[in-house]
Amino acid sequence: MPTHYPRLFQRHPRNPILTAADWPYAVHSVFNPGATRLADGTTLLLVRVEDRRGHSHFCVARSANGIDSWQIDPQPTLQPDPERFPEELWGIEDPRITYLPELGQYAVVFTAFSGSGPGVALALTRDFRTFERYGVIMPPEDKDAALFPHRIGEYWAAIHRPVGYNSANVWLSYSPDLRHWGSHKLMLAARHGAWWDANKIGLSPPPIATAQGWLVIYHGVRQTAAGSLYRLGLALFDINTPERCLKRGDEWVFGPEEAYEQRGDVGNVVFPCGYTLEADGDTLRLYYGAADTSIALATSSVSALLEWLGQHGRPVGERNGDRGRKGPAA
Ligand code: BMA
């Protein structure tokens, strides 16, 4: 397919790299994994697994090369526990992993599907075998959240996506102890009208620290006559004041094109919750859910994404979004 747009992400030829058929126990679908590289170089995916009730849990898959020969935990790694954590009534979804050097632990921020709707919950782990739950850190309706790897000044910081009036925007909140959250700031607003990222956006994988600032890959959801269309865009934020957007790209950079992205339980969805960086510190592997059905891999490089933003990004206005008229709720 000829195109004059730059190809920033290369899909792996073996996509989808993981499907329900690879699982050691009965599951309906596997998608939207969190990702990290362990100290020994192993790629670890914390996979959202949906069972035939429609409820999700997490299961760990490990691979030496991050592409194949996955060692999948023989049973669920982290199950919803609605007896102790009622907010997990209908499952746990879309984990984002951030390693916190200060604590020597991984933070897993995920969607807890409660009777009041989806909220943001946090758990800490050292080994992806036992987890210490912190419970809900942002009440419903909120999702698409991740921690920054270190404090900003004195405070921990989390990106999340509360649903607001007529639009769902990306917010930033601060905490002294990972339990109490405040100083809430709007970080990135959905645009309106015809834009690809009109009305509803959200963080995709956790923010990426670069020499130019925090690189954020976010998803935009366009409502079409045929349903929702999930695509990815780029923005850059000040390293010390991450609510300050330095640049935002106008155009989306990755969207559903292949059959496994266009067809599935929810077609036309690419939904990354995790990335890993190769030893060169630049090669970026994006692990994403394809059509809420399977897991795929696309590769890019931090320098290429920054270069694209340098050419195509522009500062956002003081209102942090489009100045056009607001459209209907998404
Ligand atoms: C979002 C999240 C994701 C899902 C996507 C598409 O709201 O719930 O888990 O992949 O919708 O269905």
Side-chain angles (χ1 to χ4, degrees), residues 31-32 48 93-94 143 200 230 266 269 271 292:
F31 55 113
N32 300 4
R48 171 178 173 189
E93 305 180 349
D94 302 353
K143 54 166 67 172
K200 187 176 178 183
Y230 280 73
V266 186
V269 175
F271 203 90
D292 284 10

Side-chain angles (χ1 to χ4, degrees), residues 143-144 160-162 167-170 186-191 196-204 218-221 248 320 330:
K143 54 166 67 172
D144 299 329
H160 57 113
R161 202 289 307 278
S167 62
N169 303 319
V170 175
L186 176 65
M187 192 174 173
L188 193 69
R191 287 180 269 216
W196 70 272
D197 55 356
N199 304 326
K200 187 176 178 183
I201 61 172
L203 177 72
S204 277
Y218 72 97
H219 59 267
V221 188
R248 178 185 196 167
N320 193 3

Side-chain angles (χ1 to χ4, degrees), residues 4-311:
H4 297 293
Y5 287 109
R7 280 222 163 255
L8 288 179
F9 292 91
Q10 317 300 327
R11 288 172 173 83
H12 197 276
R14 288 200 219 152
N15 275 349
I17 58 165
L18 281 166
T19 72
D22 297 312
W23 243 248
Y25 55 96
V27 305
H28 168 63
S29 51
V30 297
F31 55 113
N32 300 4
T36 194
R37 263 175 80 124
L38 303 177
D40 66 359
T42 302
T43 297
L44 180 144
L45 299 184
L46 188 61
V47 175
R48 171 178 173 189
V49 176
E50 194 179 298
D51 62 29
R52 276 205 187 172
R53 297 174 307 159
H55 298 204
S56 293
H57 63 265
F58 300 152
C59 186
V60 165
R62 293 176 174 83
S63 159
N65 64 11
I67 295 165
D68 55 20
S69 304
W70 295 94
Q71 303 290 317
I72 302 172
D73 281 0
Q75 52 211 13
T77 311
L78 187 66
Q79 288 267 33
D81 184 2
E83 292 293 314
R84 291 196 305 139
F85 297 90
E87 67 273 11
E88 298 178 2
L89 179 66
W90 291 323
I92 52 176
E93 305 180 349
D94 302 353
R96 272 98 169 171
I97 301 169
T98 304
Y99 183 66
L100 309 178
E102 181 184 324
L103 303 183
Q105 299 200 70
Y106 297 89
V108 180
V109 178
F110 56 96
T111 303
F113 198 170
S114 78
S116 303
V120 175
L122 166 68
L124 295 188
T125 183
R126 288 179 197 283
D127 54 10
F128 292 93
R129 293 181 214 285
T130 58
F131 295 80
E132 183 192 358
R133 279 171 162 96
Y134 277 53
V136 174
I137 59 168
M138 312 288 170
E141 183 176 344
D142 205 333
K143 54 166 67 172
D144 299 329
L147 287 193
F148 286 81
H150 54 72
R151 293 173 194 256
I152 307 292
E154 287 171 61
Y155 296 100
W156 298 105
I159 300 176
H160 57 113
R161 202 289 307 278
V163 172
Y165 176 65
N166 274 345
S167 62
N169 303 319
V170 175
W171 285 69
L172 181 68
S173 299
Y174 291 95
S175 170
D177 57 4
L178 297 175
R179 291 191 186 276
H180 304 91
W181 293 86
S183 300
H184 312 291
K185 303 273 194 309
L186 176 65
M187 192 174 173
L188 193 69
R191 287 180 269 216
H192 296 284
W195 284 92
W196 70 272
D197 55 356
N199 304 326
K200 187 176 178 183
I201 61 172
L203 177 72
S204 277
I208 304 165
T210 78
Q212 295 183 28
W214 296 104
L215 176 62
V216 166
I217 302 174
Y218 72 97
H219 59 267
V221 188
R222 183 169 194 190
Q223 303 301 334
T224 78
S228 302
L229 186 44
Y230 280 73
R231 294 182 287 212
L232 304 179
L234 301 177
L236 188 69
F237 297 84
D238 185 83
I239 204 83
N240 299 316
T241 319
E243 60 265 33
R244 203 154 78 78
C245 184
L246 305 174
K247 267 178 193 168
R248 178 185 196 167
D250 278 347
E251 298 177 347
W252 55 270
V253 293
F254 190 72
E257 287 173 18
E258 298 292 336
Y260 54 87
E261 298 161 347
Q262 292 176 330
R263 287 197 293 275
D265 272 7
V266 186
N268 285 321
V269 175
V270 289
F271 203 90
C273 291
Y275 69 87
T276 60
L277 278 181
E278 298 295 282
D280 62 10
D282 190 45
T283 306
L284 180 83
R285 284 181 168 179
L286 198 63
Y287 291 91
Y288 62 100
D292 284 10
T293 298
S294 61
I295 294 173
L297 167 61
T299 303
S300 184
S301 81
V302 172
S303 49
L305 299 182
L306 289 175
E307 196 183 315
W308 184 88
L309 263 178
Q311 285 172 6

